[in-house]
Amino acid sequence: MDPHSIAYSFVEDALGCLSRQGFATDGALRAAGLEGGAKEAVTALQYGKLWREIARQSDDEFFGLAARPMRQGSFTLMCHAVLHTGTLAQALHRALRFLRIVLDEPYGELRVEDGRAQIVLVRNRSPYPAFAYRTFLLLVLGLACWLVGRRIALQRIDFACSIPEERPDYLQFFGVPVHFGQPRCVLSFDAAYLDLPVIRNDAALRAFLREAPGNLLVRYRHDTGWVTRLRAHLKEKAPADWPDFDALAAQLGVSAATLRRRLREEGQSFASLKDEIRSGLAQTLLRQGELSVASVAAQLGFTEPSAFHRAFRKWTGLSPGTFRRDLQEARPPA
């Protein structure tokens, strides 16, 4: 199955929520282009249309699963509330507070311990099905990844419920195993991500909201033409061979002023794109362990190892040496 497709069983989960609220499901299926009856995997776009239509009919963007309805427009307001925060940590704190006010429960808290960031869902009264936990985490994590323009690599997910019968599609969520029957619902990732800056602006948000909530399901960048072209162009060359911005614009057939404006409209910058690519490459080279830190710095185009150290600490919160040492300590002995 395509990694961006959605198992039809999640369509049935959503439709079941609509039926339990007393609404017919035909209109939702028709709006999503799924009225043919074939129970095959659907695209993120189709699932997003289904989600929107269910929210329109029921006036609830959370499928009727919370203590209070998440009225239409709530997700848009949450996006505006977090857009101008400085870091991912600030954005997550604000988003989780917003959802607590809107939903009452379930609600989430951001906790940091031993280098691990955790979004912990708190339950006071009602037992929640796996679909409710999945929906909550989709809203928060999909928005978080878009805000920082990065795929946040997850470490572990726990669900505080039993796995639905005959539903193996619940065993994987965004690339990591889901552990069922746990004391609480928890999503964990490296706390270094919390220091990433929020890079999006109002123009980028308008484009993002036009595709929501379908784009939450793919969780990554949701960029449009110029950012995608520029990223692909940079990845064709070693960082040490990257041209300056004016030369790059010329290679892409536009003026530097036009390219700068296009990137700004898409919520990105030349500097943030270079940081994103360098950070990923640096972590790959350090994991491989074949090059010294100074050699890694040279491959990334840094003339001084000290400049690489400062940049890597900004990207990950760790020095290159500490990053490599932590990896070695985490590996099981031979």
Side-chain angles (χ1 to χ4, degrees), residues 93-308:
H93 279 298
R94 190 171 295 181
L96 292 170
R97 287 201 304 271
F98 183 95
L99 287 172
R100 181 173 186 178
I101 292 170
V102 171
L103 300 177
D104 189 12
E105 65 164 76
Y107 66 88
E109 297 175 348
L110 178 63
R111 302 175 185 175
V112 181
E113 184 178 355
D114 297 329
R116 174 178 291 188
Q118 295 183 328
I119 296 174
V120 181
L121 267 67
V122 178
R123 176 176 63 85
N124 292 329
R125 295 186 295 271
S126 305
Y128 292 98
F131 190 57
Y133 292 133
R134 185 177 186 272
T135 301
F136 189 100
L137 296 178
L138 272 172
L139 289 171
V140 175
L141 187 62
L143 177 59
C145 290
W146 176 78
L147 286 170
V148 298
R150 295 274 296 278
R151 179 181 289 276
I152 297 172
L154 304 182
Q155 296 174 337
R156 180 184 171 100
I157 296 179
D158 293 345
F159 277 11
C161 62
S162 300
I163 184 172
E165 291 185 11
E166 300 181 1
R167 292 295 301 276
D169 45 10
Y170 268 106
L171 291 173
Q172 287 282 327
F173 183 67
F174 286 151
V176 296
V178 177
H179 303 269
F180 285 87
Q182 302 301 306
R184 57 188 183 178
C185 179
V186 183
L187 180 148
S188 303
F189 57 91
D190 192 323
Y193 284 104
L194 296 176
D195 294 326
L196 289 175
V198 172
I199 63 171
R200 305 299 184 174
N201 59 20
D202 291 285
L205 178 59
R206 287 193 291 273
F208 173 71
L209 289 174
R210 282 196 294 270
E211 299 180 10
N215 48 16
L216 297 175
L217 300 161
V218 296
R219 182 177 69 108
Y220 189 42
R221 294 196 188 106
H222 322 291
D223 289 325
T224 49
W226 284 99
V227 168
T228 300
R229 288 178 61 186
L230 184 54
R231 183 183 288 112
H233 197 80
L234 290 174
K235 285 185 174 181
E236 291 175 354
K237 301 177 176 63
D241 299 327
W242 284 346
D244 62 26
F245 190 76
D246 289 348
L248 181 60
Q251 291 172 13
L252 293 174
V254 295
S255 69
T258 297
L259 182 57
R260 189 172 288 109
R261 184 176 70 254
R262 298 294 189 191
L263 294 178
R264 188 168 58 247
E265 288 171 353
E266 295 180 23
Q268 280 279 22
S269 70
F270 186 45
S272 65
L273 284 172
K274 290 193 296 183
D275 278 351
E276 174 197 316
I277 297 170
R278 278 177 166 153
S279 173
L281 183 56
Q283 292 178 52
T284 297
L285 292 173
L286 290 169
R287 285 191 185 97
Q288 291 172 351
E290 299 172 359
L291 299 176
S292 67
V293 172
S295 297
V296 172
Q299 284 213 14
L300 295 175
F302 289 92
T303 56
E304 296 290 339
S306 59
F308 171 57

